[in-house]
């Protein structure tokens, strides 16, 4: 048993997903152990409601278990954690839509705490030079829209739901962010 766990521990996330696609419960457990803390933190940065975060986590991993075979992987330039985040982000948008019919949308975690998100810190570390400087100088509301639409790969509609903004505002902020980035980089 220990050798099996050790062997799974040495695999990357893409290989774990391939095993999950074949119904390997141990690989699923390892993938969950490895990715759930990161995913929970990332979801909490976008949603202060712990109940929604818990629901989205459960729906995400259920979707991973059921659809792991659909992961195309590095063959199309994707990563396992990127695929996982895409599923989670879409589930979060769906949860916001469901809740919007019954109550006020949840308060975004970014409004509650001024601590920079882990991906903002990682992005700042990974993107340096002129591009990094230009990103850091963007107004927070513009950077937030760029993060949702570019980094997270959400559509304008999905970003609007996630950020609790009208679609037109998201489009306007995305345009303003692109203009500001272009201006800063010329």
């Amino acid at each position: 048993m220990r050798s099996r766990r050790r062997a799974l521990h040495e695999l990357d996330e893409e290989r774990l997903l391939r095993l999950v696609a074949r119904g390997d419960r141990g690989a699923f457990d390892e993938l969950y152990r490895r990715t759930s803390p990161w995913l929970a933190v990332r979801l909490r940065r976008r949603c202060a409601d712990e109940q929604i975060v818990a629901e989205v986590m459960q729906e995400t991993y259920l979707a991973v278990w059921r659809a792991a075979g659909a992961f195309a992987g590095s063959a199309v330039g994707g990563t396992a954690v990127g695929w996982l985040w895409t599923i989670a982000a879409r589930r979060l948008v769906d949860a916001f839509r469901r809740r919007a019919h019954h109550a006020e949308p949840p308060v975004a975690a970014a409004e509650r705490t001024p601590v920079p998100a882990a991906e903002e810190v990682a992005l700042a570390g990974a993107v340096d030079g002129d591009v990094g400087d230009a990103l850091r100088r963007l107004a927070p509301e513009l950077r937030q829209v760029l993060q949702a639409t570019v980094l997270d790969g959400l559509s304008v509609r999905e970003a609007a739901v996630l950020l609790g903004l009208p679609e037109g505002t998201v489009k306007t902020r995305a345009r303003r962010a692109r203009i500001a980035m272009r201006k800063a980089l010329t």
Side-chain angles (χ1 to χ4, degrees):
M1 183 59 105
R2 283 185 179 220
S3 62
R4 167 99 168 115
R5 258 191 247 138
R6 189 176 311 129
L8 289 173
H9 183 71
E10 294 173 2
L11 297 177
D12 64 12
E13 289 83 5
E14 184 169 342
R15 288 190 183 122
L16 288 172
L17 266 176
R18 300 279 179 233
L19 291 173
V20 170
R22 289 189 232 141
D24 187 325
R25 176 67 185 194
F28 179 81
D29 291 345
E30 176 63 22
L31 182 69
Y32 180 84
R33 184 199 62 76
R34 198 180 295 182
T35 61
S36 64
W38 162 84
L39 185 61
V41 167
R42 201 156 180 199
L43 288 169
R44 284 185 193 112
R45 289 292 301 156
R46 286 158 178 79
C47 178
D49 188 329
E50 284 296 321
Q51 183 179 359
I52 291 177
V53 170
E55 288 172 13
V56 169
M57 290 284 292
Q58 184 176 10
E59 291 175 10
T60 298
Y61 284 100
L62 181 60
V64 167
W65 178 255
R66 289 179 175 165
F71 173 63
S74 57
V76 294
T79 65
V81 292
W83 184 71
L84 184 70
W85 171 245
T86 300
I87 292 170
R90 295 196 190 298
R91 295 292 188 267
L92 184 59
V93 169
D94 291 344
F96 284 169
R97 285 183 182 143
R98 283 191 306 267
R99 295 288 170 113
H101 292 290
H102 303 292
E104 290 296 312
V107 178
E111 295 172 5
R112 156 181 89 138
T113 177
V115 178
E119 62 267 12
E120 289 175 7
V121 173
L123 183 63
V127 181
D128 54 3
D130 294 339
V131 174
D133 291 341
L135 279 172
R136 284 185 283 282
R137 281 182 290 204
L138 277 179
E141 66 272 10
L142 300 181
R143 193 170 42 249
Q144 189 179 43
V145 167
L146 272 185
Q147 177 183 347
T149 58
V150 177
L151 182 64
D152 295 342
L154 299 178
S155 68
V156 170
R157 175 172 285 163
E158 291 166 334
V161 171
L162 181 66
L163 299 173
L165 299 169
E167 286 183 43
T169 302
V170 171
K171 288 178 186 178
T172 301
R173 288 182 182 176
R175 184 174 184 278
R176 285 179 48 210
R178 285 192 306 272
I179 289 170
M181 289 292 290
R182 208 173 294 127
K183 185 176 180 181
L185 295 172
T186 56

